[in-house]
Amino acid sequence: MTLTLAKAKPCVEIETSRRHLKATGSMLDFRTMADTRLLAMVVGMTNRLSRWMLLLAPLLASCATPTATKESGMQAPDFVRGDVRVTEHRQGDDLLSAGLGLEGLAGTPSAIAHPLQPTPAELRRRAIQTSWKGIADLGPLGGYGHVYGGVPDVPGREYQAFAWIPGAHSPHRVLLQVPDNFDRARRCLVVTASSGSRGVYGAIALAGAWGLPRGCAVAYTDKGTGSGYFDLLNDTGVTLDGTRAQRGTATLEYEPSADAGHAGIGVKHAHSGDNPEADWGQHVLQAARFGLAMLDRAFPDQAPFTAQNTRVIAAGLSNGGGAVLQAAGIDDDHLLAGVVALEPNVHVPEQGRALFDYATEASIWLPCALADARFANVPMARTPTGGVPPAWAHRCHELRERGMLSGAHIAEQSSEAYEHLRASGWTDEAMATSASTTALDLWRAITAAYASAYMRTGPNDMPCGFRYDGANAHGTPVSIDMATRASWWADASGIPPGNGVGLLGGTDHSDDPTFSGARCLRSLWDDTQASTQTLRDSIAATTVKAPRASLPVWVVHGASDGLLPTAFTSEPYVTWLRSKGGHPLYWKVPYAQHFDAFLAIPGFGDQHVPLLPYGYAALDRLWSHIYEGAPWPALVPTPAPKPRGPAALSREGLDLPATWTQAPR
């Protein structure tokens, strides 16, 4: 077995292989046991709207000579294949911010000395920064770090590996962060899954920010998504340390079949053939088991770490929120001690609506509905001159031409489209906030990727003629910059477009070029032909199961969520769970919407509050129940916040409950 120490770098990289290491006459058996789209849009819009929102990144401190950590030779779980990568993070580097601190996280992208050959440490730092900026509002008015939350220095170790669920074509990443201040008296493991289709650090702003400072270890999974893009042109993908390698030279996060062609970009979520959403619960439970096994390695004198002596708390947001609810429903071994799910993408059997259903509907109808006068003052619903975006007006015209609307003028047509969506369950709040999602063309990006995942297609046979390849910010095909490619794992969101990868195809040359692709994607849902049965079967496989009635579950969702509206997700889940004897707590938080990161956009954040502080509060209350014996309440009144307004966020405006626990933060 080999032990490799990096020289004089902030991150000490310890690579462990399957061989044995002979050292000082002893034998140690280290048997080895995975948006920037949203980020790019937020940062891009922020740069255009207000350059003062980005803070200067601090200089990184140099680090002392690293030391190796002696660890137990315990086996990894059977689902782990290949190496477990162990790294230490101290002295100018840490677990929570990679040494950047709050100011650095909010600043410009962290530096890469040689952009064509970024080091694993540089990629990790950028990946952590990207994940923070894609999830949290780190802007000067957002209050992060002084009204709620914080980014203290948390030194410790990381354990990372590729894990496989039975039958999967591609692995999911599992990662454990073990803080040096791990609380051995109150042994705690937080398990989480990435939000959206992000990489393995995609929930660090929730699970890491809450768990690490109080001495919990935190286990992450990318749940079969992530930004390990495969470039078919040069046959390269992403390795365990985030760097790129040729197919066949290393285990890759994702690689398409050898006959997939020699052009285009393969994306794991869309193209693995695994329909990963159906297995998100298994991904979370494997991450929890991986975390317990790695704690055995980290603290062999305290082993074994089990669900009986170490409390496992599941927390996630967005797709990660849906993942932890899926895990709760299949937790037959009672690994989990409690669950907090923020704005979950959750599909309840025979209730609510599946994401692909309402997202394809939104893609068709929302552009016209948002042209209605009632949305005239909604952020991002009008052009800078106050007019209806021309593409939205064209959508109304196209809907009328196809007999889907009857009004003769745009005012009548937009009102009809609005009423159509109201009749299918959309609220005014959800529609208003979804102006941002619509203006940024997220519905098309989401539905094209999910259609491919559900149909189990590869990079070159995506439904409706879509494909991913190099493109500029205007969607024009171009070759991909080599430096951009080298940093995909750190910078990309997991669903193109963004970072030099465009969503191509699915358009025509009309005045409403995206309408044809939107209609095609919707037809996959409406169709009853055998050729599209795979999609319907795949979506049916994502439905959640009910957890045991005694498991504490808290769902926190923004009342103004325009991406995963509460009427289609959390509300039917909570109602369904209560009908089965469960006792979930539910906060439908006024003025909170889906993307806290969007609150940094001037004008948008004025009308909302962040959701993260309410997730932290729910986790505080769960901690108090698990470790301090506080009774699990039957009901907790929903806070009554006020919109932030043009001034900085205040704690009084959030109407957060009194602190429930004195655990360290």
Side-chain angles (χ1 to χ4, degrees):
M1 187 166 232
T2 61
L3 181 67
T4 304
L5 297 181
K7 297 180 180 179
K9 292 198 294 185
C11 169
V12 180
E13 298 166 12
I14 306 170
E15 303 290 356
T16 41
S17 76
R18 289 184 180 273
R19 305 180 200 57
H20 294 134
L21 169 67
K22 292 183 179 179
T24 323
S26 65
M27 180 77 74
L28 301 179
D29 182 3
F30 285 72
R31 265 182 100 181
T32 61
M33 304 201 332
D35 5 342
T36 297
R37 168 60 173 168
L38 297 182
L39 172 66
M41 291 183 296
V42 173
V43 174
M45 291 190 65
T46 302
N47 286 337
R48 292 193 297 271
L49 293 170
S50 179
R51 300 185 65 85
W52 52 264
M53 295 179 63
L54 292 177
L55 304 175
L56 293 176
L59 295 175
L60 296 175
S62 60
C63 78
T65 302
T67 57
T69 302
K70 183 177 179 179
E71 294 173 345
S72 159
M74 297 178 183
Q75 276 188 294
D78 291 341
F79 53 76
V80 169
R81 304 180 194 171
D83 295 343
V84 172
R85 184 168 183 268
V86 187
T87 56
E88 297 184 3
H89 304 277
R90 303 183 182 92
Q91 300 173 325
D93 182 19
D94 78 312
L95 299 179
L96 192 53
S97 73
L100 293 172
L102 179 58
E103 185 176 3
L105 289 174
T108 57
S110 61
I112 293 177
H114 303 289
L116 296 181
Q117 294 182 311
T119 67
E122 290 170 334
L123 290 169
R124 173 185 175 271
R125 187 177 301 115
R126 281 274 281 267
I128 289 174
Q129 183 186 36
T130 296
S131 293
W132 268 98
K133 294 176 82 170
I135 297 302
D137 176 9
L138 304 181
L141 302 180
Y144 200 94
H146 57 276
V147 174
Y148 70 97
V151 189
D153 181 78
V154 184
R157 289 166 284 174
E158 289 187 353
Y159 299 74
Q160 187 167 188
F162 287 140
W164 270 259
I165 63 169
H169 297 91
S170 296
H172 65 112
R173 284 182 182 264
V174 287
L175 166 72
L176 179 71
Q177 293 185 314
V178 183
D180 288 347
N181 70 333
F182 179 75
D183 191 337
R184 302 190 189 196
R186 296 189 288 189
R187 308 198 320 182
C188 168
L189 173 65
V190 180
V191 63
T192 190
S194 60
S195 67
S197 298
R198 296 180 182 279
V200 73
Y201 292 104
I204 195 169
L206 172 65
W210 181 83
L212 292 171
R214 68 181 60 236
C216 295
V218 181
Y220 302 81
T221 172
D222 68 8
K223 65 185 190 324
T225 62
S227 48
Y229 295 173
F230 191 93
D231 189 339
L232 279 81
L233 181 63
N234 61 15
D235 216 33
T236 61
V238 172
T239 66
L240 185 60
D241 66 9
T243 59
R244 299 192 66 79
Q246 294 280 149
R247 185 204 301 265
T249 64
T251 301
L252 301 179
E253 179 175 321
Y254 158 69
E255 57 183 87
S257 62
D259 61 357
H262 301 286
I265 306 300
V267 174
K268 184 168 66 169
H269 184 177
H271 301 143
S272 68
D274 291 330
N275 186 27
E277 185 181 347
D279 296 315
W280 285 348
Q282 292 191 63
H283 296 137
V284 170
L285 295 180
Q286 280 194 349
R289 291 187 174 96
F290 176 79
L292 293 170
M294 294 304 102
L295 285 171
D296 285 349
R297 287 192 179 193
F299 305 108
D301 58 322
Q302 298 280 311
F305 285 79
T306 69
Q308 287 68 49
N309 61 35
T310 306
R311 296 294 177 261
V312 182
I313 297 171
L317 73 161
S318 190
N319 282 351
V324 298
L325 294 181
Q326 282 197 28
I330 61 172
D331 183 24
D332 297 334
D333 295 332
H334 293 197
L335 278 175
L336 305 182
V339 178
V340 173
L342 278 64
E343 55 190 27
N345 174 16
V346 61
H347 181 204
V348 179
E350 301 179 359
Q351 298 185 46
R353 298 177 67 185
L355 170 64
F356 193 75
D357 174 21
Y358 58 81
T360 52
E361 176 184 64
S363 184
I364 289 174
W365 290 92
L366 268 173
C368 182
L370 290 168
D372 188 83
R374 74 189 71 231
F375 300 113
N377 296 317
V378 167
M380 303 177 72
R382 294 295 181 266
T383 66
T385 59
V388 173
W392 295 5
H394 286 306
R395 179 59 53 86
C396 289
H397 173 75
E398 288 291 336
L399 289 171
R400 184 179 185 278
E401 287 294 301
R402 296 181 182 279
M404 301 167 74
L405 296 174
S406 60
H409 304 287
I410 189 171
E412 299 166 342
Q413 295 161 1
S414 60
S415 180
E416 283 185 66
Y418 162 81
E419 293 296 342
H420 174 89
L421 291 174
R422 286 286 298 182
S424 65
W426 288 82
T427 65
D428 283 23
E429 284 180 292
M431 279 191 269
T433 310
S434 71
S436 59
T437 312
T438 305
L440 297 172
D441 200 21
L442 293 188
W443 297 117
R444 191 169 66 103
I446 292 167
T447 52
Y450 279 68
S452 189
Y454 295 144
M455 294 289 285
R456 301 177 185 265
T457 61
N460 289 311
D461 60 347
M462 292 177 67
C464 301
F466 288 100
R467 69 186 190 282
Y468 299 132
D469 209 338
N472 61 23
H474 303 290
T476 303
V478 296
S479 59
I480 298 169
D481 177 72
M482 295 294 289
T484 300
R485 178 192 286 112
S487 299
W488 271 341
W489 182 76
D491 294 341
S493 70
I495 288 187
N499 304 96
V501 182
L503 174 61
L504 306 178
T507 59
D508 59 26
H509 297 289
S510 69
D511 291 332
D512 188 2
T514 64
F515 188 39
S516 60
R519 287 187 294 109
C520 178
L521 291 168
R522 180 64 188 181
S523 72
L524 299 177
W525 174 259
D526 292 333
D527 196 359
T528 59
Q529 301 300 313
S531 61
T532 56
Q533 189 59 43
T534 299
L535 179 135
R536 292 184 293 279
D537 290 344
S538 293
I539 293 173
T542 68
T543 54
V544 72
K545 294 180 175 62
R548 63 185 187 274
S550 61
L551 181 68
V553 174
W554 197 325
V555 178
V556 181
H557 210 137
S560 299
D561 194 321
L563 182 71
L564 302 174
T566 60
F568 306 144
T569 53
S570 291
E571 290 172 23
Y573 176 78
V574 169
T575 300
W576 172 75
L577 199 53
R578 287 171 177 166
S579 73
K580 292 184 171 294
H583 305 283
L585 296 176
Y586 179 49
W587 273 355
K588 183 178 177 180
V589 181
Y591 305 111
Q593 49 85 55
H594 196 80
F595 299 109
D596 277 13
F598 281 18
L599 302 182
I601 301 172
F604 189 87
D606 299 3
Q607 302 188 16
H608 299 288
V609 294
L611 191 65
L612 272 179
Y614 303 97
Y616 296 155
L619 284 164
D620 283 349
R621 184 61 182 83
L622 180 58
W623 173 278
S624 181
H625 171 66
I626 292 173
Y627 289 98
E628 299 171 0
W632 189 245
L635 177 69
V636 177
T638 300
K642 300 175 183 178
R644 190 196 74 199
L649 185 72
S650 69
R651 186 172 179 87
E652 294 74 23
L654 292 174
D655 190 37
L656 285 167
T659 302
W660 279 312
T661 174
Q662 299 304 313
R665 285 175 169 72

